[in-house]
Amino acid sequence: MLNTLQSTQHQRLSELRIKLLRLHKLLLETERLTYQQVRGQVSRGELLQLVIRHEQFAWLHRLSALIIQIDELLHTDEPVTQEVIEAIDRDIRTLLSPDELGDEFAMKYNTALQRHPDVVLAHADVMMLLTSDSI
């Protein structure tokens, strides 16, 4: 039974990671487009440097950190507890709460949701997985 639960949790974490990566990619693309409207085209290499170092992209680091946290859980030899899963879910729900009067992430996320239908769909995919009773 325990192995089945761990397998289910691992599968769900993998699905969550994929959905968060898709959302991250879309948010990165929206930020790239905004940046390019002001400063002109950037190559993939330049974009990577911007993502790492430029303040305009810094808000995305919190989402990157959650994805890295999931990666670490997927590659640990230790069993992942239900409490850890619940904490990850809570952190994701908290982070992905758009708010035009919230912190920088919440405001920029709200703007992305208002302007880009693909972001709305990716957000919905993540939220549906978080609310599913798969574990």
Side-chain angles (χ1 to χ4, degrees), residues 20-119:
L20 287 172
L21 280 171
R22 179 172 181 268
L23 178 61
H24 187 275
K25 181 179 179 183
L26 289 166
L27 292 171
L28 183 59
E29 182 64 15
T30 63
E31 203 59 49
R32 181 186 66 80
L33 292 171
T34 302
Y35 181 89
Q36 287 183 159
Q37 287 173 347
V38 175
R39 297 194 170 92
Q41 290 290 112
V42 293
S43 70
R44 284 185 185 262
E46 290 169 325
L47 180 60
L48 178 60
Q49 292 305 310
L50 289 170
V51 170
I52 294 169
R53 294 192 176 95
H54 197 279
E55 66 184 46
Q56 184 173 335
F57 294 84
W59 69 281
L60 292 170
H61 294 177
R62 290 174 60 197
L63 183 54
S64 301
L66 277 173
I67 294 168
I68 290 167
Q69 192 176 356
I70 292 171
D71 281 345
E72 290 170 350
L73 290 173
L74 288 170
H75 294 95
T76 185
D77 292 332
E78 301 296 316
V80 178
T81 65
Q82 187 62 33
E83 292 78 20
V84 170
I85 298 282
E86 290 169 3
I88 288 275
D89 286 0
R90 243 187 340 270
D91 290 348
I92 293 168
R93 278 192 196 92
T94 299
L95 184 62
L96 300 185
S97 298
D99 185 348
E100 61 188 27
L101 302 174
D103 64 21
E104 182 182 25
F105 187 96
M107 290 188 300
K108 288 192 174 203
Y109 192 59
N110 185 64
T111 299
L113 286 167
Q114 298 300 320
R115 294 183 182 166
H116 304 283
D118 288 347
V119 173

